[in-house]
Amino acid sequence: MLFFTQCFGAVLDLIHLRFQHYKAKRVFSAAGQLVCIVNPTHSLQYAPTLCAAAQTSTEQGILPPCHHHEAVHDPQLVPCMCPLFSCPWEGHLEVVVSHLRQTHHINILQGAEIVFLATDMHLPAPTDWIIMHSCLGHQFLLVLRKQEKYEGHPQFFATMMLIGTPTQADNFTYRLELNRNQRRLKWEATPRSVLECVDSVISDGDCLVLNTSLAQLFSDNGSLAIGIAITTSKVHSSEAEV
């Protein structure tokens, strides 16, 4: 009976995942779109990232401490973004992708258009949903975060970051789309570089922002499907034609 129960539970989990995959593909019916089910990363102990701590100290007129008599923190070092509030790792752009894939097992999808299906939206803040997107010869990082910007009022923040420099990021445009129950919501913008720190992007509100009621309107049984499309910017395209 125990063996039967365990096998039956595994089959139910598989059916549930297949059903979620089918619902996401039904909502985003464009041919060729890939669907990735993303589980949340949750932490009960929030600690600011290196870039967030440095920014706060600078605003207060306090220089960040230098450990072991080291020089000033290298601005080209990128803090880990999975999750943003617990991993102490930092490194250069060239090794960000390998760190995320090898250490945190972040999925990476290829294609101009994909569907990001975030599960368990009901979990308390702070919670992150993260995936890498390989497209147009570059790697992008989609970060969906549930965070209380105001106490007692959690919000969802979704943004696309290029694993590259700000100059490279200016060459692209990304679009996030929510589509459910005959309602459609789109956000289109230029991605930010991971060198700029996603905490700053969220603090500035330069991303797709959803309050709880709006997120529930587009969610289905606690899952939120976000269509992602990346294109080259018009400026970059015109320069290529010349």
Side-chain angles (χ1 to χ4, degrees):
M1 288 297 295
L2 179 61
F3 175 77
F4 174 78
T5 302
Q6 290 177 342
C7 291
F8 185 68
V11 172
L12 286 180
D13 290 341
L14 180 60
I15 294 175
H16 178 66
L17 289 176
R18 296 280 296 183
F19 182 61
Q20 285 184 317
H21 186 279
Y22 168 75
K23 288 191 298 182
K25 292 206 69 174
R26 184 184 58 188
V27 173
F28 295 89
S29 57
Q33 283 188 314
L34 298 175
V35 179
C36 183
I37 300 175
V38 184
N39 296 319
T41 302
H42 182 65
S43 175
L44 298 177
Q45 297 180 348
Y46 179 84
T49 59
L50 295 175
C51 54
Q55 181 182 7
T56 303
S57 300
T58 303
E59 292 174 352
Q60 297 175 351
I62 305 174
L63 293 177
C66 296
H67 301 286
H68 304 293
H69 306 286
E70 293 179 354
V72 178
H73 176 71
D74 185 352
Q76 297 302 313
L77 291 180
V78 182
C80 178
M81 297 188 176
C82 178
L84 297 170
F85 40 79
S86 66
C87 182
W89 180 92
E90 61 177 354
H92 290 279
L93 286 173
E94 294 79 8
V95 293
V96 170
V97 174
S98 60
H99 169 74
L100 292 175
R101 297 199 67 181
Q102 296 175 10
T103 303
H104 299 292
H105 308 291
I106 296 298
N107 291 325
I108 182 168
L109 292 183
Q110 296 184 359
E113 297 185 7
I114 64 174
V115 176
F116 176 98
L117 185 62
T119 66
D120 300 323
M121 303 293 294
H122 61 277
L123 288 178
T127 304
D128 285 349
W129 293 261
I130 301 176
I131 192 176
M132 284 192 292
H133 184 185
S134 179
C135 178
L136 301 175
H138 289 78
Q139 282 73 41
F140 299 83
L141 194 69
L142 177 69
V143 178
L144 173 65
R145 174 178 294 183
K146 184 178 183 180
Q147 178 175 309
E148 289 188 358
K149 197 167 185 180
Y150 305 101
E151 186 175 357
H153 299 279
Q155 293 177 299
F156 293 89
F157 304 86
T159 186
M160 182 73 75
M161 311 288 290
L162 172 70
I163 303 179
T165 65
T167 301
Q168 292 174 322
D170 288 338
N171 294 326
F172 301 96
T173 299
Y174 76 93
R175 184 180 75 248
L176 304 179
E177 179 179 338
L178 304 176
N179 189 347
R180 185 172 182 267
N181 292 336
Q182 298 181 346
R183 298 177 177 85
R184 179 174 297 179
L185 180 63
K186 290 184 180 181
W187 167 267
E188 187 171 299
T190 300
R192 303 280 285 271
S193 166
V194 292
L195 293 175
E196 300 180 53
C197 188
V198 71
D199 287 341
S200 301
V201 177
I202 292 177
S203 298
D204 296 340
D206 186 16
C207 57
L208 175 63
V209 182
L210 304 173
N211 57 31
T212 304
S213 59
L214 192 57
Q216 290 177 348
L217 188 64
F218 285 97
S219 65
D220 186 7
N221 289 328
S223 298
L224 187 67
I226 304 177
I228 308 170
I230 300 177
T231 57
T232 55
S233 63
K234 294 181 180 179
V235 175
H236 181 68
S237 298
S238 62
E239 289 177 354
E241 292 175 359
V242 174

